[in-house]
Amino acid sequence: MIVVMKSDATDEQVAHMIRRVRDMGLEPHIIEGTGRTVIACVGDERLKAPEGLAVGAGVEKVMPVRARYTIASREVKREPTVIELGRGSLGGSALGIIAGPCAVEGREMLLETAHAVKEAGAVALRGGAFKPRTDPYSFQGLGQEGLGYLAEAREATGLAVVAEVMAPEQVPVVARYADVLQVGARNMQNFVLLSAVGACNKPVLLKRGMSASLEEFLLAAEYILSRDNERVILCERGIRTFETFTRNTFAVAAVPALKAATHLPVIADPSHATGRADLVEAVSRAAVAAGADGLIIEVHPDPETALVDGQQSITPEAFAHLVESCRAVAEAVGRSL
Ligand code: PEP
Ligand code: MN
């Protein structure tokens, strides 16, 4: 249920309604929209009678929210959430591109990639320091040493840094170095981790689980939002199907479907969605045409020697080409890049 305050409601009236909601045993979350404040009431509201709230001073109306993901829902906040990221942002009319290697493999390769993707127009640098690997004997990432290289690359380029966090105990160290915490597909329903990143004051890039429905995806985002972290970026990265031509199946419809359901920015990851460097640019264009707010692309200076995900990594030159071709599509759909 949400309490929509009148546009001229005073701070005291809002504070009073917040207390009333708490007294009912519900958790209030304040969402400031343009021109109105909404109090999202989270918790088990089955036994609560909302009538009393509706007559509160400064209240415009009390409405049920159909979606189970109350705070993430468009019903609560009509205008898009815009998240600042380095020199750009995600969720506004301009698109933002995050690019970099799957894993931080070393200082030189990271700095070289960072300068190249910045030059081509990226707003943020990605790079895993803690890697969730299917095979326990494969490269697991450089850990804190890798985070240090990411921070150095940020100093050198001004790019924001996106790095994955795999466990609640890694949140403090990753948050110390990175600007955005990535929760990977394999951890989308790690509810302890979701709560831990929710309690941290950094934007979270949440990737769709490989067999998660969109409702499960949005409920995972709701875990983070319900800890009062408003800055969640949703990432469609392909789902698992019977298809073997591509690593995953890119769910292009998920992009506009999510945009309709939530005010949160939605980006696409054509690298993991396809698993094939030769398909990344075309799928990037499709994502932009479908309304994505941004892209996350794996770029490696020498994909052939990459320690992780080389087959889907593109070169800096191919990345520069991708940005240009996506710019044309962005402009065709009324956006900029
Ligand atoms: C990654 O971004 O390198 C990654 C591991 O992605 P995902 O969690 O989507 O598989
Ligand atoms: Mn990867």
Side-chain angles (χ1 to χ4, degrees):
M1 156 175 81
I2 58 174
V3 178
V4 181
M5 301 300 293
K6 289 183 178 149
S7 55
D8 60 356
T10 64
D11 290 349
E12 291 73 47
Q13 287 170 337
V14 175
H16 173 74
M17 294 314 296
I18 290 172
R19 278 196 302 278
R20 290 287 319 278
V21 169
R22 264 208 193 101
D23 289 346
M24 290 173 72
L26 298 172
E27 183 64 33
H29 289 269
I30 319 308
I31 295 147
E32 301 285 356
T34 40
R36 63 171 199 170
T37 299
V38 171
I39 306 170
C41 311
V42 179
D44 189 349
E45 40 181 272
R46 277 172 302 184
L47 302 175
K48 321 289 175 194
E51 297 78 30
L53 294 176
V55 297
V59 174
E60 185 178 300
K61 60 185 168 187
V62 175
M63 283 171 33
V65 176
R66 273 159 307 183
R68 292 160 76 199
Y69 39 89
T70 309
I71 311 172
S73 157
R74 271 265 184 212
E75 295 173 72
V76 165
K77 185 164 176 266
R78 288 185 295 244
E79 53 279 354
T81 291
V82 180
I83 299 179
E84 301 303 324
L85 203 59
R87 305 174 293 167
S89 63
L90 291 174
S93 66
L95 306 193
I97 302 195
I98 303 165
C102 180
V104 179
E105 296 171 11
R107 183 172 175 277
E108 304 311 320
M109 65 79 72
L110 188 70
L111 287 170
E112 181 184 343
T113 312
H115 284 290
V117 300
K118 180 198 173 170
E119 195 62 33
V123 297
L125 174 68
R126 64 149 291 149
F130 297 102
K131 291 302 303 174
R133 303 306 305 282
T134 302
D135 175 349
Y137 304 118
S138 56
F139 178 60
Q140 306 284 311
L142 293 180
Q144 196 162 346
E145 179 189 348
L147 292 171
Y149 299 146
L150 284 165
E152 188 180 342
R154 171 181 47 224
E155 291 307 309
T157 60
L159 294 170
V161 160
V162 180
E164 178 158 358
V165 54
M166 292 202 297
E169 57 273 20
Q170 290 170 354
V171 172
V173 68
V174 178
R176 189 152 73 239
Y177 293 93
D179 302 293
V180 177
L181 307 184
Q182 176 175 323
V183 173
R186 291 156 192 80
N187 269 316
M188 190 207 80
Q189 284 189 316
N190 180 340
F191 301 114
V192 180
L193 179 61
L194 296 176
S195 291
V197 295
C200 160
N201 189 26
K202 293 266 166 139
V204 177
L205 194 166
L206 178 65
K207 301 189 95 181
R208 180 182 184 179
M210 40 191 120
S211 53
S213 69
L214 293 183
E215 187 179 51
E216 288 165 340
F217 188 19
L218 288 160
L219 285 167
E222 187 79 7
Y223 261 89
I224 303 169
L225 298 167
S226 68
R227 298 297 302 265
D228 276 333
N229 186 340
E230 297 160 11
R231 293 183 292 171
V232 179
I233 301 152
L234 300 174
C235 179
E236 163 58 43
R237 46 78 75 206
I239 50 175
R240 219 171 233 190
T241 69
F242 52 83
E243 184 54 75
T244 53
F245 262 49
T246 51
R247 181 176 178 180
N248 290 292
T249 296
F250 180 56
V252 69
V255 174
L258 288 167
K259 294 286 296 173
T262 179
H263 50 87
L264 298 171
V266 177
I267 68 169
D269 176 346
S271 307
H272 292 87
T274 64
R276 285 175 47 177
D278 64 323
L279 301 182
V280 169
E281 183 179 313
V283 174
S284 298
R285 287 200 303 259
V288 173
D293 295 306
L295 300 168
I296 180 166
I297 308 285
E298 285 188 344
V299 178
H300 193 286
D302 182 15
E304 258 185 60
T305 61
L307 294 178
V308 190
D309 284 351
Q311 69 293 348
Q312 68 194 34
S313 298
I314 61 174
T315 61
E317 295 71 36
F319 176 69
H321 191 272
L322 177 153
V323 174
E324 287 314 311
S325 82
C326 285
R327 178 167 293 133
V329 178
E331 284 165 5
V333 296
R335 310 281 294 265
S336 61
L337 172 60

